[in-house]
Amino acid sequence: MKLRSRIYGEDDVQKTYIPKASELAYEWVLVDANGQLLGRLAAQIASVLLGKHKPQFTPGMDTGDFVVVINAEQVQVTGTKMEDKTYYHHSGHPSGIKGITLRRQLATHPERVLRSAVWGMLPHNKFGRKIIKKLKIYKGSQHPHAAQKPEPLDL
């Protein structure tokens, strides 16, 4: 650091901006999934959750907003993914693997489809596990977050 300040002068050294916890303001965003493509919607939601749309974005810091998704059952996919895409889970016992197609998963638990797609675009560590908790997904158009006054996000 001494060599750098001697070469460039003390005034020319740029410091990296890291926001303080008191400077962070979390907002609520409302996303309507009606007619949206699953992958494109998940990518934009992951970007908002990470805070990449804010000027004070810092990797490894929680600068993102809360996201409320409504009409998750009306999300769309292209091609033959409704029959071909399968979600697997394992009970932990021998031969305990089970699979469910995207069409059946959307009919029974549409929140899981969108949560799985967004989780695939977040870091798979404790930072990502903290961020995914800020995602609220609802099957229909009603949600209990009216008191937070979520702003609609144009996609």
Side-chain angles (χ1 to χ4, degrees):
M1 188 68 177
K2 286 184 179 182
L3 180 62
R4 182 177 176 91
S5 62
R6 210 173 345 140
I7 294 171
Y8 296 111
E10 200 59 49
D11 297 333
D12 295 336
V13 178
Q14 295 283 329
K15 300 277 184 170
T16 301
Y17 172 73
I18 298 177
K20 296 175 181 63
S22 61
E23 296 173 357
L24 296 177
Y26 300 108
E27 298 172 5
W28 286 72
V29 176
L30 180 67
V31 175
D32 189 3
N34 187 8
Q36 299 287 329
L37 292 177
L38 177 63
R40 293 174 190 266
L41 179 66
Q44 291 174 339
I45 290 172
S47 178
V48 172
L49 286 172
L50 286 166
K52 289 193 169 189
H53 64 292
K54 293 186 173 183
Q56 67 262 26
F57 169 70
T58 305
M61 273 190 82
D62 187 12
T63 58
D65 295 332
F66 287 84
V67 177
V68 178
V69 180
I70 57 174
N71 296 322
E73 61 193 2
Q74 297 173 357
V75 74
Q76 296 180 350
V77 293
T78 59
T80 58
K81 292 185 191 87
M82 283 291 192
E83 288 77 28
D84 295 345
K85 185 165 179 61
T86 307
Y87 293 95
Y88 294 101
H89 62 278
H90 200 285
S91 66
H93 294 286
S95 69
I97 193 163
K98 294 182 181 180
I100 185 169
T101 63
L102 176 60
R103 186 178 302 281
R104 286 201 54 208
Q105 187 78 307
L106 275 175
T108 56
H109 302 286
E111 323 74 43
R112 293 182 188 173
V113 172
L114 195 54
R115 184 174 309 279
S116 172
V118 172
W119 171 246
M121 299 178 186
L122 292 177
H124 298 299
N125 52 25
K126 65 181 181 179
F127 178 56
R129 289 189 293 274
K130 180 182 176 185
I131 289 174
I132 196 73
K133 292 176 186 173
K134 293 172 27 175
L135 176 63
K136 316 294 182 188
I137 305 173
Y138 298 99
K139 186 187 253 187
S141 61
Q142 301 296 324
H143 64 86
H145 302 288
Q148 284 77 23
K149 298 176 185 163
E151 294 291 323
L153 182 67
D154 294 329
L155 300 176

